[in-house]
Amino acid sequence: MAVTTFDVLGLDQVGEGRWSTVVRPDHCTPFGFLYGGTGIAVSCEAAERTTDRPLAWITTQFVGSPGPGDRLDVEVRTVAEGRSSSQTQVTVTVDGRPVISSLAAHNLRPGGDQVGFVEMPDVPAPEECGPFIDTFDTHAGSFFENLERRHAVGRLAHEAIDQPERGPMAVWTRLKSGESGSASTQAFIADLGPLFVAAALGVMPGGTSLDNTQRMIDATPTDWLLLELVPDGYSHSIGHSTVRLWSRDGRLMGLAQQSAILRTSHHT
């Protein structure tokens, strides 16, 4: 089962279990620091390419905020390896300073036994949906440049300010550079937790990720992914959330679960 390369990341091998990339503006948020989805995707791809085994699960903690021009040095340690499963630890540093830490599990067992226990939301097809206007989409030179997004259902971003959305929320998303489905592409697309927790609260969207866990179910390539947005809870300024990722034909592709500090502005 071959692992795939997500070219947007620009990840190069520099040694055994060692990888590197330079942060570009389109890897970052509109505020000039690394987009969490990029950081998770870097950990995903480095872990898969080191072991040559697809990810089943990865959890990532953010402990720093690199910016454009910073070089990310990535080290992958395989701490357990069996016939079908591996466990890895990923450390990402900038000038020797840790900025991202991940733990992951890999699985080579044969597929064909997928079972879904939830159903895809009934929403219009992406071609029938209008563009998703994020509050920060007007900022050039950010990760938004890599994505096309369509608003499927629910009040989001500026539409939810002072009008909390407690009903269904979903956004169609696809990569401009090609199909999605791999762990790294799902991770890159799904990092939206603060947006919809803010929508459920009816406040200005904005947040800083503390961690994100990606659970893989189906990596079959697809064009559009529907992100079903589920705000789970909020306490002490921290919002917890889940994204279910669906293919156009109703396959549950993966889950992204996140905790983030909600802020009214990234500048404070």
Side-chain angles (χ1 to χ4, degrees):
M1 188 182 301
V3 299
T4 59
T5 299
F6 182 23
D7 292 339
V8 166
L9 302 177
L11 198 62
D12 294 320
Q13 186 166 15
V14 295
E16 185 175 354
R18 304 185 70 88
W19 308 83
S20 182
T21 190
V22 175
V23 178
R24 306 191 310 243
D26 70 317
H27 294 154
C28 295
T29 73
F31 303 99
F33 54 84
L34 190 72
Y35 163 56
T38 305
I40 309 161
V42 164
S43 288
C44 288
E45 182 166 318
E48 287 194 328
R49 289 172 66 180
T50 296
T51 61
D52 199 31
R53 291 182 169 187
L55 279 166
W57 164 89
I58 187 168
T59 189
T60 300
Q61 183 181 34
F62 303 101
V63 294
S65 299
D70 286 337
R71 178 171 292 278
L72 303 182
D73 295 312
V74 187
E75 180 180 8
V76 181
R77 295 178 59 239
T78 301
V79 295
E81 186 169 23
R83 286 181 304 222
S84 300
S85 300
S86 300
Q87 295 181 359
T88 53
Q89 297 176 347
V90 184
T91 303
V92 182
T93 59
V94 173
D95 296 329
R97 174 176 52 89
V99 293
I100 296 170
S101 179
S102 299
L103 301 175
H106 305 251
N107 178 24
L108 265 181
R109 291 176 176 84
D113 58 351
Q114 292 94 337
V115 178
F117 303 109
V118 290
E119 292 187 0
M120 179 177 169
D122 184 12
V123 301
E127 294 81 6
E128 300 171 14
C129 298
F132 174 57
I133 307 300
D134 189 284
T135 305
F136 309 118
D137 262 343
T138 56
H139 295 255
S142 73
F143 74 95
F144 291 125
E145 294 182 1
N146 296 299
L147 303 174
E148 181 181 357
R149 300 190 292 179
R150 302 288 181 89
H151 191 161
V153 66
R155 289 188 299 271
L156 293 165
H158 62 281
E159 294 181 354
I161 297 174
D162 296 326
Q163 298 186 76
E165 177 59 86
R166 299 301 172 86
M169 292 181 273
V171 177
W172 286 106
T173 305
R174 70 175 173 183
L175 289 167
K176 294 179 180 178
S177 60
E179 292 185 311
S180 307
S182 68
S184 56
T185 56
Q186 288 194 37
F188 188 82
I189 285 174
D191 185 32
L192 282 179
L195 175 69
F196 50 89
V197 173
L201 292 171
V203 299
M204 178 73 176
T208 301
S209 297
L210 296 173
D211 62 81
N212 197 310
T213 297
Q214 189 79 22
R215 303 183 189 277
M216 293 297 298
I217 298 172
D218 190 337
T220 305
T222 186
D223 55 353
W224 288 94
L225 283 173
L226 182 71
L227 307 187
E228 180 188 2
L229 315 175
V230 184
D232 296 313
Y234 177 78
S235 178
H236 300 283
S237 298
I238 296 176
H240 307 281
S241 56
T242 300
V243 174
R244 296 186 183 122
L245 296 95
W246 299 92
S247 67
R248 185 197 288 261
D249 59 359
R251 289 176 289 116
L252 182 61
M253 304 283 288
L255 300 170
Q257 296 168 315
Q258 184 176 9
S259 297
I261 302 171
L262 261 65
R263 307 182 188 277
T264 56
S265 169
H266 281 282
H267 301 292
T268 59

